Amino acid sequence: MLQSKEKVENLVNSIGERKFIIESDDYLKGLIKKYASNEKYNISMSQEAFAITLWALKDINQNALTSRFIIDQRDVLKYILTREGKKEREIISTYCNMLGIEVSIVDNLFKTPFNFFISNNKKISGYKYRLIYQKLESGYVYLEMDQLIHILREYFVKKIMDIYNNINKTNARTVFRQYSGKIENYRETFKKINAKNQINLGDVDFSIFPPCIKEYITEIRDGGNPSHMARLTLATFLHHIGMQNEDIVRTFKGTADFDENSAIYQIDHLTGKISGTEYNPPKCATLRSNHLCYMGDDKLCPHIKHPLQYYEVKKKDKKS
């Protein structure tokens, strides 16, 4: 249904299915309203309204809003799976099998394909999601229920984003042609709200940032959801080049799952304000091993071992 223009168009235009377009409309209004105050909007939806909303977002064409929608619905999925899984663990494996993921329960653990685990664990922090700490046997990883649900959350994000990216913009515009005024209103309202959340780096010189840091900032500007290590790298990098904590917090405001209280605490901890320890950004080798290096054809990167070293070299070059 999510990828079929004909099915979504029928939902949108059929008088008998009007309840779903109303549900989607109400959801989009709430999503934009909550975005304005940086609050999550973890409201469950019918499958039909979900499909309509995803296609409407393609027509609205605002990446940050789409990212917020997918992240919020990811958290709804986690809540539902956790609640239902506590009642009956088989519900989790049944859900996976419906998605084509071969999962079974062995000795109260979920026997999960190795490739599925390593394809969806990169943005999750904590040793529980590193392969070296897992029980691995014959191409399968054995996971606790909460581990598998977190992996499924990330799979959901990638899957829905892939579907969204494959929706044809012209088809989306055709589906919502009778609602073009409403779609335009969504778009303009969101643009005004999002303009207030744009990243302002102040006196910090973005032009001499290493490619990895530029990539993380660009991802945030686009409403993305950088991994834990990418966020740690960015926060500690900005701290060491002289940015104030409150400005670093504002830098993360555009992330799809932004929580101001959590961001303030984490940044105060990383910068030593409450921990007494000033953390450094990871070395380039660590970023490469975690698929967070974006050197491309940059000529300086191959000679650099640390993001801060790159910044210092560029800074000296610019002065001279």
Side-chain angles (χ1 to χ4, degrees):
M1 178 191 292
L2 293 181
Q3 293 171 299
S4 169
K5 173 181 178 289
E6 291 72 23
K7 289 183 178 180
V8 174
E9 193 166 27
N10 181 62
L11 284 174
V12 171
N13 296 323
S14 172
I15 294 176
E17 307 291 357
R18 188 64 63 190
K19 61 183 178 181
F20 298 124
I21 193 75
I22 293 172
E23 182 184 352
S24 176
D25 180 43
D26 289 342
Y27 183 89
L28 282 167
K29 288 176 183 174
L31 182 66
I32 293 171
K33 182 179 179 180
K34 290 293 183 180
Y35 187 95
S37 54
N38 281 304
E39 295 179 47
K40 295 182 179 181
Y41 193 54
N42 299 341
I43 305 297
S44 60
M45 311 171 68
S46 65
Q47 291 182 10
E48 294 83 356
F50 185 101
I52 291 171
T53 303
L54 193 65
W55 275 69
L57 286 165
K58 189 69 174 189
D59 197 9
I60 295 168
N61 194 29
Q62 295 295 307
N63 290 338
L65 186 62
T66 301
S67 295
R68 180 62 62 89
F69 166 70
I70 294 174
I71 293 299
D72 284 358
Q73 288 301 302
R74 174 202 72 177
D75 292 342
V76 170
L77 174 68
K78 176 195 171 186
Y79 171 77
I80 293 173
L81 290 179
T82 301
R83 181 190 65 196
E84 298 303 318
K86 287 179 180 178
K87 298 176 186 175
E88 190 177 346
R89 295 174 71 84
E90 285 74 13
I91 288 176
I92 308 296
S93 55
T94 300
Y95 176 79
C96 291
N97 294 328
M98 284 173 56
L99 295 173
I101 308 162
E102 183 189 350
V103 172
S104 58
I105 301 176
V106 178
D107 295 332
N108 218 31
L109 294 173
F110 290 89
K111 182 182 175 183
T112 309
F114 166 80
N115 286 339
F116 175 70
F117 177 80
I118 63 170
S119 296
N120 296 286
N121 70 338
K122 295 180 179 64
K123 288 194 173 185
I124 311 176
S125 61
Y127 75 92
K128 289 172 64 175
Y129 301 97
R130 305 283 73 83
L131 184 61
I132 193 173
Y133 293 102
Q134 311 308 320
K135 176 185 176 183
L136 182 61
E137 184 179 276
S138 302
Y140 288 90
V141 177
Y142 290 77
L143 305 175
E144 298 284 354
M145 187 175 77
D146 67 316
Q147 289 175 288
L148 178 55
I149 289 174
H150 272 80
I151 295 293
L152 283 168
R153 284 193 342 161
E154 298 308 311
Y155 172 81
F156 172 86
V157 171
K158 289 167 65 176
K159 188 73 173 177
I160 299 302
M161 189 57 78
D162 284 346
I163 292 171
Y164 173 83
N165 288 334
N166 284 315
I167 296 173
N168 183 279
K169 288 182 180 179
T170 302
N171 286 344
R173 193 173 303 118
T174 301
V175 166
F176 293 98
R177 57 189 176 276
Q178 64 173 305
Y179 296 102
S180 59
K182 189 179 286 289
I183 293 292
E184 182 63 20
N185 182 56
Y186 288 145
R187 186 184 298 115
E188 293 307 311
T189 300
F190 180 76
K191 280 183 176 179
K192 290 176 183 176
I193 292 168
N194 197 39
K196 299 176 182 177
N197 286 338
Q198 291 303 302
I199 297 172
N200 181 6
L201 297 173
D203 295 330
V204 176
D205 191 348
F206 179 80
S207 69
I208 59 175
F209 282 7
C212 54
I213 300 298
K214 287 181 178 178
E215 179 67 25
Y216 309 152
I217 291 174
T218 299
E219 186 175 359
I220 292 171
R221 280 177 170 164
D222 290 342
N225 193 37
S227 70
H228 172 76
M229 183 169 286
R231 297 181 197 215
L232 181 150
T233 304
L234 177 57
T236 50
F237 176 88
L238 293 175
H239 168 67
H240 281 282
I241 66 171
M243 187 178 281
Q244 298 299 309
N245 284 16
E246 54 269 26
D247 294 324
I248 299 175
V249 171
R250 278 194 286 272
T251 302
F252 287 94
K253 210 168 185 180
T255 52
D257 59 353
F258 180 76
D259 181 300
E260 187 165 12
N261 290 332
S262 176
I264 291 171
Y265 174 80
Q266 294 291 342
I267 289 166
D268 284 350
H269 179 81
L270 290 172
T271 59
K273 187 174 180 179
I274 59 176
S275 65
T277 301
E278 289 186 76
Y279 290 81
N280 289 315
K283 294 179 180 179
C284 294
T286 303
L287 295 177
R288 283 195 295 272
S289 67
N290 283 275
H291 312 286
L292 291 171
C293 173
Y294 298 91
M295 73 164 69
D297 57 0
D298 187 282
K299 294 180 181 179
L300 178 58
C301 275
H303 309 286
I304 294 298
K305 296 182 178 180
H306 198 282
L308 289 173
Q309 183 188 3
Y310 184 104
Y311 184 79
E312 290 303 321
V313 170
K314 285 284 188 178
K315 193 175 179 181
K316 288 177 182 177
D317 287 346
K318 196 164 187 177
K319 284 183 178 178
S320 61

